[in-house]
Amino acid sequence: MPTDYYATLGVPRDASADDIKKAYRRLARQLHPDINPDPETQERFKEVTNAYEVLADPQKREMYDLGGDPLASGNGTGGGFGQGFSFTDIMDAFFGGTATRGPRSRTRRGQDALLRLDVDLAEAAFGATRDLQVDTAVTCQACHGSGTAAGASLATCDLCRGRGEISQVQRSFLGQVMTTRPCPQCHGFGTVNPNPCVECSGDGRVRTRRSLTIRIPPGVDHGTRIQLAGEGEVGPGGGPPGDLYVELVVAPHPVFQREGDDLHCTVALPMTAASLGTSLQLETLDGLETVDVRPGTQHGQTVLLQGKGVPRLRASGRGDLVVHLEVRTPTKLDTQQEELLRELARMRDEEQPGGPVTATAGGLFSRIRDAFK
Ligand SMILES: [Zn+2]
Ligand SMILES: [Zn+2]
């Protein structure tokens, strides 16, 4: 069963060529590797591009509609990303027509940007407000984005006469072939900029360092991306800005490990306290908490502090704090302590009668195990 390319692009089967292009452009912006470099998104980007490759080409689309898969190996195109799919087609989808639809606009949307921000566990759990410095492109104040020097304006390109493309007729063994390519003089814009703005060299924007404040909502985690709409680079020619994505990098905490909305930590306690029971004071992310250790606690048992974990990001309530108890056996005993322990062992009928433990492993260990049950 071939992949459902219509579903991949999220368009109906009777979608027009224009709808298909719009859908691809929207997805490509979201999934572009420059914006989302993680492998999963790149894989999705390839799938979406493959789907577009098929559905944007009337012949391939027809073949696919008839039940074939034009990208499957054995169909002559070789399959895979990028093959049989010209760069122009991709640029065309991105920029809404370059080579074959007349001059392209000098005004374009700016690129999205990705920034990583280091936060600690408490900031991720309870939220925070942070100031950021962003190196970005802003609209040139000298020309207000037009890219032309004061009093100057763009001129029609004399090579392509404003068409933005150049057609050439070439002789080949097939006869005369007409090829069309973007005009090399104006790069497809149809206009040239004879007097560019000196501040921005005609780009309409300049690079600068900008400060902005970001609010980190409670419950975010390592890898969470916060989208700041319109805080990316402004586009060339005074185009609208892209978005800024801030990806959070949560530093490991010395005490607490996070698993989903739950926090985990390990508390060591002496064998005697585990046996007799005790009450511990634990410094948690939101203050001192009392951990009740019941008498007869075994190594590895846990105490649950309900609702003391991380607040849930898109729901109410909080996760739990799970305290793992690590029972420590004393390693250095003085004579009196040793005598007391031997006395205890005798009283509990757990005394080792002498000789190596291995000699009586079956009997002695099972007796000890039973005694601790
Ligand atoms: Zn300028
Ligand atoms: Zn030109």
Side-chain angles (χ1 to χ4, degrees), residues 139-148 196-206:
T139 304
C140 172
Q141 288 308 303
C143 64
H144 305 287
S146 72
T148 53
C197 167
V198 288
E199 291 297 322
C200 63
S201 309
D203 192 37
R205 53 190 184 160
V206 288

Side-chain angles (χ1 to χ4, degrees), residues 330 332-343:
K332 283 191 181 118
L333 299 172
D334 63 24
T335 320
Q336 196 188 357
Q337 291 167 349
E338 187 180 337
E339 197 40 57
L340 277 170
L341 272 182
R342 287 196 184 284
E343 178 68 21

Side-chain angles (χ1 to χ4, degrees), residues 122-168:
E123 288 174 313
F126 302 120
T129 302
R130 291 276 295 267
D131 292 324
L132 296 180
Q133 300 283 313
V134 190
D135 288 311
T136 188
V138 298
T139 304
C140 172
Q141 288 308 303
C143 64
H144 305 287
S146 72
T148 53
S153 56
L154 300 173
T156 303
C157 173
D158 58 7
L159 189 61
C160 64
R161 295 173 206 282
R163 289 172 59 226
E165 60 190 23
I166 289 185
S167 300
Q168 272 182 318

